[in-house]
Amino acid sequence: MKTNAYAAQNATTSLSPFSFQRRDVGQHDVQIEILYCGVCHSDLHTVRGEWGGTTYPCVPGHEIVGRVVKVGAHVEKFKEGDTAGVGCMVDSCRTCANCKEDLEQFCEKGTIFTYNSPEKQTGGTTFGGYSDSIVVDEAFVLHIPQNLDLAATAPLLCAGITTYSPLRHNNVSKGQKVGVVGLGGLGHMAVKLAKGFGAHVVVFTTSSNKVEDALRLGADEVVNSKNADEMKKHLNSFHFILDTVSAQHDINAYLLLLKRDGNLTQVGVPAEPLPLQVGSLIFGRRSLSGSLIGGIKETQEMLDFCGEHNITSDIELIPIQNINEAYDRLLKSDVKYRFVIDMASLKQAL
Ligand code: NAP
Ligand code: ZN
Ligand code: ZN
């Protein structure tokens, strides 16, 4: 099936119109007309080859929401006309220990990510949501709560689950002091979710113009992370810190803010290694972890939680023609707080 999209042809040129063939709808597949797709910083890292391993052409996009237009004969959970979402994964082996524990993102045989992974049926590469249509096995398709604004729900499919999962895994709850480092797409969702779990939330930002917004989004306190005196006031005080920063920065400065046995979980994936002073872990028996998105079951749980608590992303809706400018703004930390592509604009692009 012919699909229109925007793709990067290599690491250095702008994204531009591109078309390709999606596989036909199989018996367990759902075909979704994509209405909105969020713009994750991972799209930019991948398109520009910053992590290595990018196959071109690359059609990014893994915060997909739209309308079901066709279902295979054996599809049970979806019907034509439903709203549906697709996040960062489209398949996994489903039989390994991690898949069986609903942790498909850690599939031992290799998770099939929404873009830049092997597309087994076509023998090519998976292409993501900067496109007008996608075909996905229903096991990897999510139900979208009806009460939420659809465009503002798209970022939940990556930014939402990537922050929800480590907050839950670390039992963030009422009365705890929780830090969020970096107020971008992931960071602003972390603030909303951690508040939803009842925590006392402190945002660390390098952007002085985000202070008001951080408070409006629900933060109890905001710290200018470039100011050593402001940082010092929070030494040894946090139960948990979630670090969402996309670029090189000093994680030791944050480890020192953890209480004894506190944990800092890294979800941002800077292209370069982060230097670690082990003393900041050893004193206080602190720990440093990582976390990768979340499983499908937990993603549905997160969507339902957001439906119940009316949590969506603060978005700037853009036509796909502005995607390259949006990437440039991401690099300047100038996003409030997630770009979402209005896929209707793709028709004008062609
Ligand atoms: P984003 O919207 O661009 O936000 C990143 C934020 O980090 C910026 O807004 C900025 O916040 C801060 N920042 C940027 N450069 C900085 C620097 N040099 N020093 C200190 N702070 C800086 O990005 P995102 O979409 O939230 O993604 C964040 C990171 O998470 C990316 O690396 C992405 O690839 C990764 N990611 C990981 C997963 C996972 O499963 N682990 C999933 C999705 C994304 P302030 O202006 O407040 O300082
Ligand atoms: Zn993402
Ligand atoms: Zn598996």
Side-chain angles (χ1 to χ4, degrees):
M1 165 197 333
K2 188 182 176 218
T3 304
N4 296 315
Y6 256 53
Q9 298 295 339
N10 56 56
T12 52
T13 51
S14 299
L15 277 79
S16 56
F18 171 69
S19 66
F20 63 94
Q21 297 288 323
R22 292 270 185 212
R23 69 171 188 251
D24 289 336
V25 178
Q27 294 196 319
H28 298 278
D29 285 339
V30 171
Q31 184 189 340
I32 300 166
E33 177 197 356
I34 300 175
L35 299 175
Y36 302 103
C37 183
V39 178
C40 179
H41 207 115
S42 300
D43 302 349
L44 189 162
H45 289 303
T46 307
V47 156
R48 301 204 173 163
E50 292 175 8
W51 293 333
T54 304
T55 302
Y56 298 97
C58 174
V59 178
H62 57 207
E63 294 183 337
I64 298 167
V65 291
R67 189 183 303 114
V68 174
V69 290
K70 196 171 176 184
V71 296
H74 292 170
V75 168
E76 291 173 353
K77 293 192 307 176
F78 295 91
K79 59 178 190 320
E80 213 183 303
D82 286 353
T83 50
V86 177
C88 303
M89 306 181 277
V90 289
D91 212 346
S92 71
C93 86
R94 307 178 202 200
T95 56
C96 75
N98 289 337
C99 285
K100 280 191 175 151
E101 285 185 59
D102 297 307
L103 296 166
E104 303 88 351
Q105 73 274 32
F106 306 124
C107 176
E108 291 166 15
K109 305 264 171 62
T111 307
I112 307 296
F113 293 100
T114 305
Y115 59 82
N116 201 41
S117 271
E119 217 294 5
K120 286 188 186 134
Q121 277 97 327
T122 63
T125 302
T126 55
F127 288 138
Y130 295 8
S131 60
D132 55 14
S133 177
I134 192 164
V135 177
V136 181
D137 189 301
E138 69 163 333
F140 286 77
V141 181
L142 287 309
H143 290 286
I144 304 294
Q146 290 305 307
N147 58 313
L148 301 179
D149 177 75
L150 196 57
T153 302
L156 301 181
L157 275 305
C158 174
I161 184 59
T162 301
T163 51
Y164 182 94
S165 186
L167 290 169
R168 281 294 198 215
H169 186 71
N170 289 279
N171 301 313
V172 163
S173 55
K174 198 167 164 42
Q176 290 188 341
K177 186 173 170 186
V178 169
V180 175
V181 188
L183 195 67
L186 267 54
H188 94 292
M189 288 313 308
V191 172
K192 293 185 186 204
L193 292 166
K195 280 309 287 180
F197 301 154
H200 178 91
V201 178
V202 182
V203 165
F204 295 91
T205 182
T206 59
S207 306
S208 52
N209 63 349
K210 292 182 183 172
V211 173
E212 299 275 300
D213 283 347
L215 296 170
R216 177 180 55 77
L217 291 164
D220 297 287
E221 298 178 60
V222 188
V223 174
N224 171 356
S225 53
K226 292 179 183 162
N227 182 322
D229 289 335
E230 279 190 48
M231 292 289 280
K232 226 187 253 171
K233 285 187 197 149
H234 292 273
L235 284 170
N236 300 308
S237 66
F238 283 88
H239 290 87
F240 178 71
I241 297 176
L242 191 67
D243 185 333
T244 75
V245 173
S246 50
Q248 182 65 250
H249 62 292
D250 180 18
I251 54 168
N252 304 289
Y254 297 100
L255 289 170
L256 294 173
L257 306 187
L258 293 170
K259 283 161 88 95
R260 191 201 73 220
D261 290 323
N263 172 270
L264 183 149
T265 294
Q266 185 68 40
V267 286
V269 191
E272 303 298 329
L274 296 176
L276 172 67
Q277 296 283 354
V278 293
S280 37
L281 293 178
I282 290 168
F283 287 93
R285 201 165 56 192
R286 302 168 175 122
S287 65
L288 170 65
S289 313
S291 188
L292 177 67
I293 48 174
I296 293 296
K297 187 175 168 204
E298 193 176 38
T299 305
Q300 190 62 61
E301 178 191 304
M302 174 277 307
L303 286 166
D304 296 344
F305 178 88
C306 289
E308 276 161 38
H309 293 81
N310 250 308
I311 294 174
T312 53
S313 174
D314 283 31
I315 66 165
E316 181 174 335
L317 197 63
I318 59 164
I320 201 158
Q321 293 81 350
N322 290 9
I323 188 63
N324 297 299
E325 183 195 327
Y327 279 14
D328 292 342
R329 286 181 55 196
L330 272 186
L331 285 177
K332 292 188 219 146
S333 299
D334 176 23
V335 50
K336 296 193 170 164
Y337 278 87
R338 196 59 141 186
F339 295 113
V340 172
I341 303 165
D342 181 353
M343 216 49 74
S345 62
L346 189 54
K347 293 191 182 76
Q348 283 108 56
L350 302 166

